[in-house]
Amino acid sequence: MKTGGIDSSQIQAMIAQLKAAATRPAATPPAIQTEKVAPKPDFTDAMKGALDAVQASQTKAEGMTRRFQMGDDSVNLSDVMISMQKASINFQATVQVRNKLVQAYHDIMNMQV
C-alpha cells in the first residue's frame, strides 16, 4: 500500500530500525584514552568572541573618525565611511541574533509540558 508516494513497508522498516537503535545499549567509552579530544565549542565563548569582534569594529570606526576629524591625511573619507558601515552592520546583526535568542527563550518558556 502506498501512502503519499511512500510504500508502507518502507515506513514499517524505518520504524523497526528506529526501535532497534533505541533498545541498543549505549557504547561504553574506552578505559584508556590515548588521543586528545578536541574541546567542544562553548556557546558562551562563541558569543563573547562575537561581541568582542563587534566592539573592535566599532572602536576601529570611532578611531578612524577621530583621526579624520583631526585632519590626518592618511585617513580617507571613504575608508571612514566603510568602517562605520561595517561597524553598523556588525551591530545590527548582533541585535538580530539577540532578538532571535530572546524569542527562542520566550517560545521555550511558553511551551506546554
Side-chain angles (χ1 to χ4, degrees):
M1 173 183 196
K2 289 207 172 225
T3 306
I6 299 175
D7 190 12
S8 63
S9 63
Q10 291 175 342
I11 294 173
Q12 294 300 325
M14 180 64 79
I15 291 172
Q17 287 177 356
L18 290 172
K19 286 181 181 178
T23 58
R24 190 175 21 212
T28 57
I32 299 174
Q33 192 170 8
T34 57
E35 296 179 16
K36 289 187 177 181
V37 177
K40 292 183 179 178
D42 187 20
F43 177 77
T44 306
D45 294 338
M47 192 66 171
K48 182 169 177 13
L51 291 174
D52 289 343
V54 170
Q55 181 183 8
S57 69
Q58 288 178 336
T59 304
K60 178 183 174 188
E62 184 180 332
M64 288 183 76
T65 302
R66 190 168 290 131
R67 286 176 39 208
F68 181 77
Q69 289 173 345
M70 295 294 189
D72 188 353
D73 291 337
S74 65
V75 180
N76 296 332
L77 178 60
S78 60
D79 293 338
V80 172
M81 297 303 293
I82 289 170
S83 69
M84 289 175 60
Q85 285 299 312
K86 285 181 181 179
S88 176
I89 290 170
N90 286 340
F91 182 72
Q92 289 173 7
T94 302
V95 169
Q96 291 300 319
V97 169
R98 186 222 38 193
N99 291 344
K100 291 290 185 182
L101 286 172
V102 169
Q103 182 63 42
Y105 173 77
H106 286 298
D107 291 345
I108 290 170
M109 294 306 293
N110 291 331
M111 281 184 181
Q112 296 287 333
V113 179

